[in-house]
Amino acid sequence: METAVLAGGCFWCTEAVFQRVDGVEKVISGYTGGTIKNPAYREITTGRTGHAEAIMIEYNSDIITFKELLDIFFVTHDPTTLNQQGADRGTQYRSAIFYVNDEQRKIAEEMILNLGKEKVFKDPIVTQVDKYEAFYNAEHYHQDYYNQNSNQGYCQFVINPKLDKLQATFKEKLKKEKQN
C-alpha cells in the first residue's frame, strides 16, 4: 500500500470522489499543513491554524498510480482558485498536494507544469506542492460523510456534480460497484 495526501477544498467532496476509485483501499478525512497538533474542526474553520481540509488515501499502486490519482484530483476540483472551492473560502480550502516522497513531489510538479503549458485551465494553477509532515483525522462525523448524507443539500448541489464528472471522465478507473 502507498499513501497520498491531497487537499482540494472540502474534504467531504474529495473523500467521496476517491472512495469510488479502483485501487483506493481507504480514504480518511482530516487536517494537514498547519501549525498546531491535533486541531479540531472548530479551529480549522477560523483559518488561523494553517491546516487544509485534506484526505489521506491508501492505495494499491499495482492498480492505480499516483499520477492517475492526480489526474482525477485535477479534474474533480478547481486548482485555479486560491484558497477557495466554490462558496467555500479560506486557506483551509486551498488546493494542495502533500508529497510523502521525492517521487511524488516530482510527479506533482511535472503535472502542474504540463497542465499549465497545455493551458488545460483558463487561469493559472495555484495548487501548492508541500512536504507531508503530519495528518490529523477529522472528527468521526466527517468520515464517510457523503455516503451517509447523500440526500443533504450540500451533497446534492456540490458533491454530486463532482461525482458525475468523475463518472463521465474516469469510468474505467471506478470500482465496479460504483459505476452507474
Side-chain angles (χ1 to χ4, degrees):
M1 283 303 173
E2 305 232 13
T3 300
V5 180
L6 305 174
C10 173
F11 47 35
W12 296 343
C13 297
T14 50
E15 177 190 66
V17 164
F18 286 96
Q19 284 176 327
R20 286 151 176 73
V21 175
D22 194 23
V24 171
E25 299 298 321
K26 187 175 187 180
V27 182
I28 302 167
S29 288
Y31 316 111
T32 193
T35 58
I36 65 171
K37 292 182 180 181
N38 299 310
Y41 184 70
R42 68 183 177 280
E43 296 166 314
I44 299 301
T45 59
T46 68
R48 291 183 289 209
T49 69
H51 290 87
E53 286 193 15
I55 56 170
M56 179 177 281
I57 303 168
E58 291 181 15
Y59 67 99
N60 181 338
S61 60
D62 291 335
I63 298 172
I64 190 156
T65 66
F66 182 70
K67 183 189 178 307
E68 290 170 319
L69 291 174
L70 292 186
D71 287 338
I72 294 167
F73 175 70
F74 281 108
V75 166
T76 57
H77 88 292
D78 184 351
T80 68
T81 54
L82 186 63
N83 301 327
Q84 176 184 353
Q85 286 296 301
D88 293 330
R89 299 176 195 277
T91 57
Q92 66 271 30
Y93 300 115
R94 67 187 179 269
S95 175
I97 300 163
F98 294 89
Y99 61 89
V100 300
N101 57 43
D102 256 0
E103 179 72 14
Q104 285 187 356
R105 180 187 56 76
K106 289 174 189 170
I107 292 168
E109 289 173 348
E110 184 175 298
M111 179 172 278
I112 291 169
L113 184 68
N114 289 337
L115 290 171
K117 282 181 183 175
E118 295 168 12
K119 298 196 183 313
V120 172
F121 299 97
K122 184 181 79 161
D123 297 314
I125 294 172
V126 296
T127 303
Q128 298 172 336
V129 179
D130 296 322
K131 186 173 185 350
Y132 167 76
E133 298 290 339
F135 186 89
Y136 304 99
N137 290 7
E139 294 77 0
H140 71 0
Y141 58 88
H142 289 299
Q143 306 300 331
D144 201 32
Y145 189 85
Y146 177 83
N147 293 332
Q148 295 182 35
N149 299 281
S150 60
N151 290 326
Q152 236 189 31
Y154 186 89
C155 295
Q156 293 288 310
F157 295 106
V158 178
I159 301 175
N160 279 352
K162 292 176 185 288
L163 296 180
D164 291 344
K165 192 176 227 183
L166 174 71
Q167 176 74 26
T169 311
F170 297 102
K171 186 171 185 170
E172 76 287 350
K173 297 284 181 204
L174 300 182
K175 294 175 180 173
K176 299 301 177 217
E177 70 273 11
K178 299 293 184 182
Q179 293 180 5
N180 288 342

